[in-house]
Amino acid sequence: APQGCFPTLARSVCPCLRDPIQYERAKKLLGFFLGVADLLSDFSVGIRMLTDRKTAIGSTILALSLVDPAHIVLVWGSRGEPEAYEQAGVLLLSLLEVPILVLTILFREAQSTAVVAVSIALTVMGILFKAAQFGMTYRKKLIEMAAEMEKQERAAAEEASRQGSSVF
């Protein structure tokens, strides 16, 4: 079952997410829609820059926005819960969104305020969502590793006590 404060909050808001499979599906669907919306907002900013004759900036934004389809493929294509290294890759890819965010903020006078606000909000939400996914996966792996180490220590202690009692 999902652990942590976000899954608990999600289950309390929407009882249908109590099922771990439904929770994972909802998480993937949210990641998919965030990726698509972020891609569309990045495209709109990049194309607007191109039409305003800011070719280098617009081309850079359009090139960097190709990270979003890569994220969508990684999230949608994975079976089950992605491993920590897959989540780390997605998080590192999402950091390529930071230059888009910076360029959007620096050259916001060429954009309408609504487009800039939506683009900034989607970019920040996308990065935070991917960071939260990575954090939750990493935390789960740490808990699993700690439980395994504790189990091995108990087994070693039992073995040592058995060997110690058989000597006398």
Side-chain angles (χ1 to χ4, degrees):
Q3 298 174 345
C5 64
F6 179 73
T8 304
L9 177 65
R11 287 192 306 262
S12 67
V13 171
C14 184
C16 65
L17 296 179
R18 289 191 179 127
D19 178 23
I21 293 172
Q22 293 295 347
Y23 175 77
E24 288 301 317
R25 286 180 181 164
K27 196 166 67 170
K28 277 189 175 193
L29 194 60
L30 179 61
F32 175 78
F33 282 123
L34 269 175
V36 169
D38 190 30
L39 174 66
L40 293 175
S41 73
D42 291 346
F43 271 179
S44 71
V45 169
I47 289 176
R48 179 64 187 204
M49 294 284 185
L50 287 176
T51 58
D52 287 344
R53 301 199 186 275
K54 293 184 168 115
T55 309
I57 297 161
S59 299
T60 302
I61 289 174
L62 288 174
L64 289 173
S65 69
L66 294 176
V67 168
D68 294 323
H71 167 253
I72 292 168
V73 168
L74 284 172
V75 168
W76 205 255
S78 66
R79 290 274 185 194
E81 189 170 339
E83 295 292 327
Y85 72 91
E86 292 172 321
Q87 291 288 357
V90 167
L91 180 61
L92 289 175
L93 276 177
S94 76
L95 293 180
L96 291 174
E97 293 277 341
V98 174
I100 295 173
L101 180 65
V102 169
L103 290 172
T104 302
I105 292 170
L106 288 177
F107 296 95
R108 67 183 174 271
E109 71 277 352
Q111 306 287 324
S112 74
T113 306
V115 170
V116 170
V118 168
S119 181
I120 290 171
L122 287 171
T123 299
V124 170
M125 284 187 339
I127 292 171
L128 291 176
F129 179 76
K130 294 166 199 165
Q133 280 185 308
F134 173 72
M136 288 173 21
T137 302
Y138 189 70
R139 179 178 176 268
K140 182 179 176 184
K141 293 296 178 193
L142 286 177
I143 291 170
E144 289 172 359
M145 286 173 33
E148 184 63 31
M149 286 175 58
E150 186 177 319
K151 181 180 170 184
Q152 289 174 356
E153 287 174 359
R154 268 195 242 126
E158 287 176 11
E159 184 65 30
S161 69
R162 270 188 258 143
Q163 288 179 353
S165 64
S166 66
V167 171
F168 295 109

